Amino acid sequence: MNKKITRTLISVFYKDGLEAIVHELAKQNVEFVSTGGTEEFIKKLGYAVTPVEQLTGYPSIFGGRVKTLHPAVFGGILFRRDDAGDVKQAQEFKIAPIDLVIVDLYPFEETVAKGGSEEDIIEKIDIGGISLIRGAAKNFNDVLIVSSRDQYAEVLQLIKTKTCSSDLADRKRFAALAFDVTSHYDSAIFSYFNQEQNIASFKSSYQQGQTLRYGENPHQKGVFFGDLTKLFDQLNGKELSYNNLVDVDAAVNLVKEFEGDTAFVIIKHTNACGVALGASVKEAYLKAFQADTISAFGGVLACNQKIDLAAAEEINKLFFEILIAPGYDAAALDLLKSKKNRIILQQKISLTATKQYKSLLNGVIEQDLDLHTDSKEDLKTVTKRAPTSSEVNALLFASKVCKHTKSNTIILAIDGQMLSSGVGQTSRVDALKQAIEKAKAFGFELKNSVMASDAFFPFPDCVEIAHGEGIAAVIQPGGSIKDQDSINFCDQHNMAMVFTGFRHFKH
């Protein structure tokens, strides 16, 4: 059923985009009711405005905390126009209907993000605004609610094409948008307070959603919730897919481990098939590619330094899905953009998340992200022979890669280069055997290399196999009741082994 707009309440924090709406409403002789800065804004456009204080008989009080919380305002929004009892009461108390409510909310999230004081943050918890939005949305049968400046263009088009009226479908849509706004706002406020309280309640809200071509497989639907434009500028290529996004996440998290070095990683199905450091981007790429020249085909590549032309000329020889870097020389970018579907991303900021969650069974499971990176300070030498400085560098390098690889995993490496990986195996022995086989397949000599494990060795079999291949040093968390068996074997064969005390399972 169409409803004509004859009276509107407008009270907004953000006024950009509002002017055109005010002009259009005025052309249709709509009466304006407003407060504070918005009231002045409308007056400056040359239109008469009824102050809210005139309706309520009260001024704005308590520093602006109470302005609109009054039956003269909420009654005009909430009374049901088709209910005889409501209509009678509205007439009895001289409450005039309000047909359109344009209200946004104080910038709570923005104030938190800018590091505002607690006093500033608390004052940005909107009371009147959110109540007006909820009230108007609840009475969508009679009232049109505009709850965000993001909706201004849509509502302007609506009142233009429908001559300042709306139908039920319009009002119901805007009501749904309003409850999206209020629920997101409340989730943000709860998350702020829950930093101290640690209440066991899961709330996470993302208002931006991007429909993907499909999910993990073509028969599955997929949506990404979040704002990728904050992280990346896409400089070339097709739309990112579900699987692309999963691999991009793996790539940027792994390359982040090597801040201060020139690092290059190649990802396939979330696991690294090549990781290396170099004196240049070109050198790092070639060393990473060397680890698995087959799996790199169709992979996701990431570097933590600007891509120059020398590196781009080598990278361009490979068919890959995505390249991520913090910058590109102009000539390098021109070359890399020669393939129209090749996705080129420029990363603008580093990831800052501290929590991780996923749907599981009939609920959601949440945990802290594994943000611990093994360092020299973590290393406890448990064998008679301590690792050399070069071996320590190689062990820490391998441990960083291991942390980002599916369990059970073994990483074989030298200083600054992954030689191979055994990933996602049901036993650690199988992971090691897979890693050895891959290293040999790509021509690597394992003598004097190192081995990293994401978890402890329950038996000495892995160090026994490693010794047989000439592996000289081992890094692992430790913690098995049979640790001493592995230590004893290493001592008997002049191998070095260090414990970190940190397990890095990844499932």
Side-chain angles (χ1 to χ4, degrees), residues 132-311:
L132 289 166
I133 291 170
R134 289 177 62 85
K138 177 176 180 176
N139 200 21
F140 65 85
N141 277 315
D142 299 305
V143 180
L144 179 64
I145 172 63
V146 179
S147 53
S148 166
R149 59 180 167 173
D150 296 335
Q151 300 160 21
Y152 285 177
E154 185 176 351
V155 78
L156 178 60
Q157 184 64 22
L158 173 67
I159 60 180
K160 279 183 175 181
T161 57
K162 296 191 176 179
T163 322
C164 220
S165 64
S166 65
D167 61 32
L168 182 60
D170 298 325
R171 296 190 298 276
K172 204 165 188 177
R173 167 174 165 72
F174 277 91
L177 291 171
F179 286 121
D180 178 40
V181 168
T182 60
S183 62
H184 177 80
Y185 195 75
D186 281 337
S187 292
I189 295 169
F190 170 77
S191 296
Y192 172 75
F193 278 92
N194 206 37
Q195 292 176 108
E196 292 182 3
Q197 305 306 319
N198 201 27
I199 297 166
S201 177
F202 179 80
K203 289 179 175 64
S204 188
S205 177
Y206 294 89
Q207 288 184 293
Q208 289 181 282
Q210 177 185 338
T211 300
L212 305 173
R213 295 196 301 274
Y214 50 80
E216 200 162 7
N217 299 293
H219 63 278
Q220 295 170 268
K221 293 181 179 178
V223 182
F224 173 78
F225 294 101
D227 185 2
L228 285 174
T229 62
K230 288 184 177 179
L231 278 177
F232 306 110
D233 285 329
Q234 184 165 345
L235 307 180
N236 191 66
K238 59 189 178 180
E239 182 181 289
L240 287 158
S241 71
Y242 180 100
N243 291 328
N244 288 158
L245 290 168
V246 173
D247 283 341
V248 166
D249 179 73
V252 297
N253 275 291
L254 176 53
V255 81
K256 183 182 175 183
E257 295 282 355
F258 301 100
E259 290 180 2
D261 294 308
T262 296
F264 207 102
V265 307
I266 304 173
I267 297 290
K268 198 69 174 285
H269 295 292
T270 74
N271 291 307
C273 56
V275 185
L277 309 180
S280 67
V281 174
K282 176 182 175 180
E283 181 188 349
Y285 166 71
L286 289 174
K287 287 167 65 178
F289 178 65
Q290 189 181 14
D292 189 338
T293 58
I294 295 174
S295 296
F297 182 87
V300 171
L301 285 53
C303 183
N304 60 0
Q305 304 294 332
K306 180 183 280 191
I307 304 296
D308 57 24
L309 181 60

Side-chain angles (χ1 to χ4, degrees), residues 372-390:
H372 180 82
T373 299
D374 295 333
S375 66
K376 288 182 180 180
E377 291 69 32
D378 296 317
L379 303 185
K380 178 184 176 183
T381 301
V382 294
T383 50
K384 292 177 181 177
R385 184 175 82 79
T388 65
S389 60
S390 177

Side-chain angles (χ1 to χ4, degrees), residues 408-471:
N408 288 307
T409 184
I410 293 289
I411 300 295
L412 304 181
I414 55 176
D415 188 358
Q417 184 180 23
M418 184 183 88
L419 304 181
S420 65
S421 61
V423 303
Q425 299 301 300
T426 52
S427 82
R428 206 154 299 281
V429 169
D430 286 343
L432 175 55
K433 288 179 178 178
Q434 182 189 61
I436 291 168
E437 182 181 348
K438 283 194 70 175
K440 290 180 176 179
F442 291 101
F444 287 110
E445 169 60 59
L446 292 177
K447 187 176 181 180
N448 296 323
S449 65
V450 305
M451 173 173 73
S453 174
D454 59 333
F456 64 62
F457 299 123
F459 305 103
D461 43 12
C462 281
V463 292
E464 292 168 1
I465 295 169
H467 169 69
E469 300 296 334
I471 294 167

Side-chain angles (χ1 to χ4, degrees), residues 311-372:
E313 287 172 340
E314 292 297 333
I315 296 167
N316 194 53
K317 297 173 184 177
L318 175 69
F319 170 77
F320 63 88
E321 284 275 336
I322 302 169
L323 174 61
I324 309 151
Y328 301 84
D329 286 345
L333 184 59
D334 286 343
L335 177 62
L336 293 166
K337 288 170 70 174
S338 61
K339 303 287 174 57
K340 67 177 184 178
N341 287 331
R342 180 184 278 168
I343 298 169
I344 308 294
L345 299 178
Q346 182 166 326
Q347 188 171 353
K348 297 187 284 189
I349 60 173
S350 186
L351 297 176
T352 57
T354 58
K355 296 286 185 180
Q356 182 180 45
Y357 52 87
K358 62 181 177 180
S359 60
L360 187 147
L361 299 174
N362 63 342
V364 173
I365 192 167
E366 179 187 81
Q367 66 170 352
D368 295 336
L369 279 170
D370 184 359
L371 298 176
H372 180 82

